[in-house]
Amino acid sequence: MTQTFLQEIKEELQKGATKKDHPFRYFTLATVGLDQVARLRTIVMRKFEDDLRITFFTDSRSKKMIHLQENKKVGLLFYNAKNLMQIRIEGIAKVMGDAETKEKYWKGMSKSSKKEYTAASAPGTTMASQGQIEYLEDHDHFCVVEITPFKIEYLKLQRPPHIRVRYSWEVDRWEGEFIVP
Ligand SMILES: Cc1cc2nc3c(=O)[nH]c(=O)nc-3n(C[C@H](O)[C@H](O)[C@H](O)COP(=O)(O)O)c2cc1C
């Protein structure tokens, strides 16, 4: 019975990765590094796979990457205000450092998107004034990160009772259980 909701989660996340106007295109990514403070930010989901792996792009010099070196466990939050559906994911992040993966995504990107990853100074660096950004000609800091979930929580608010289901990855399958909303 819980499998029905897992299927719905997959379908919605797949739409998020492929449809530009779907609310799941954007998610909130939480990381916690050695500073022990949860850091949250909006991220674009670039790829979703049927085994629930999620891919995003970032700048290799960003604070989230420092956090990921310190602690690979991350939290993801998706919310669709139209049907009041929330998906919460806990997973392990892997930085895909191989040239083949990078090239696969890089070649499909527009010139302006590529430029985002060529700022001479790292994201978060103080600037003398707004817009004073220098760009590198021959180098970039584009980076691909893949998240493998180990826990998923589905919540759908509707005419009570609401539906809340928790899934845990158990060796080779997702085990689901209904929980009190
Ligand atoms: C709509 C929107 C989409 C964003 N997408 C991404 C993204 O895909 N990758 C990314 O690294 N930052 C993205 N950002 C910027 C992040 O929210 C964040 O400001 C930036 O990555 C720096 O985060 P950090 O200092 O915690 O590493 C996006 C911001 C917004 C508002």
Side-chain angles (χ1 to χ4, degrees):
M1 181 57 186
T2 57
Q3 288 303 309
T4 313
F5 297 101
L6 188 59
Q7 191 53 37
E8 188 182 353
I9 291 169
K10 286 183 183 179
E11 285 167 11
E12 290 304 303
L13 288 172
Q14 188 59 52
K15 283 182 207 159
T18 50
K19 292 187 192 306
K20 282 215 152 77
D21 58 349
H22 194 280
F24 284 5
R25 178 169 167 77
Y26 303 98
F27 63 94
T28 303
L29 172 75
T31 55
V32 183
L34 295 177
D35 51 8
Q36 297 282 300
V37 180
R39 188 169 168 113
L40 307 139
R41 76 284 281 165
T42 308
I43 294 286
V44 178
M45 176 164 51
R46 303 292 176 173
K47 190 168 187 208
F48 174 75
E49 282 156 277
D50 206 46
D51 61 4
L52 289 135
R53 275 177 299 152
I54 288 165
T55 300
F56 72 89
F57 302 158
T58 196
D59 189 305
S60 59
R61 302 163 295 178
S62 62
K63 178 77 178 186
K64 69 182 81 52
M65 294 296 283
I66 295 167
H67 269 188
L68 293 184
Q69 279 165 22
E70 295 168 352
N71 175 7
K72 293 188 183 324
K73 285 188 183 166
V74 295
L76 281 68
L77 182 72
F78 296 85
Y79 176 57
N80 185 343
K82 289 185 192 122
N83 61 5
L84 306 186
M85 184 198 287
Q86 173 182 276
I87 307 292
R88 199 154 49 175
I89 291 176
E90 287 171 18
I92 303 286
K94 185 178 172 194
V95 179
M96 309 298 280
D98 62 293
E100 200 183 318
T101 303
K102 183 184 162 179
E103 188 53 28
K104 183 174 86 178
Y105 290 108
W106 186 252
K107 68 180 182 205
M109 286 164 60
S110 67
K111 222 174 166 188
S112 61
S113 297
K114 287 178 177 172
K115 196 174 174 190
E116 300 283 315
Y117 300 95
T118 63
S121 302
T125 306
T126 310
M127 296 189 293
S129 64
Q130 194 256 328
Q132 276 204 327
I133 307 171
E134 269 180 52
Y135 293 95
L136 304 164
E137 291 291 334
D138 55 353
H139 194 61
D140 67 78
H141 296 275
F142 176 68
C143 183
V144 179
V145 181
E146 186 184 272
I147 294 152
T148 303
F150 57 82
K151 209 173 260 182
I152 303 170
E153 203 186 283
Y154 169 105
L155 175 66
K156 174 83 83 64
L157 295 191
Q158 55 177 31
R159 189 178 302 162
H162 307 311
I163 306 167
R164 188 171 170 196
V165 197
R166 181 172 56 207
Y167 299 90
S168 304
W169 181 251
E170 300 293 343
V171 187
D172 58 357
R173 67 181 191 288
W174 285 104
E175 227 161 66
E177 53 198 345
F178 291 102
I179 55 177
V180 177

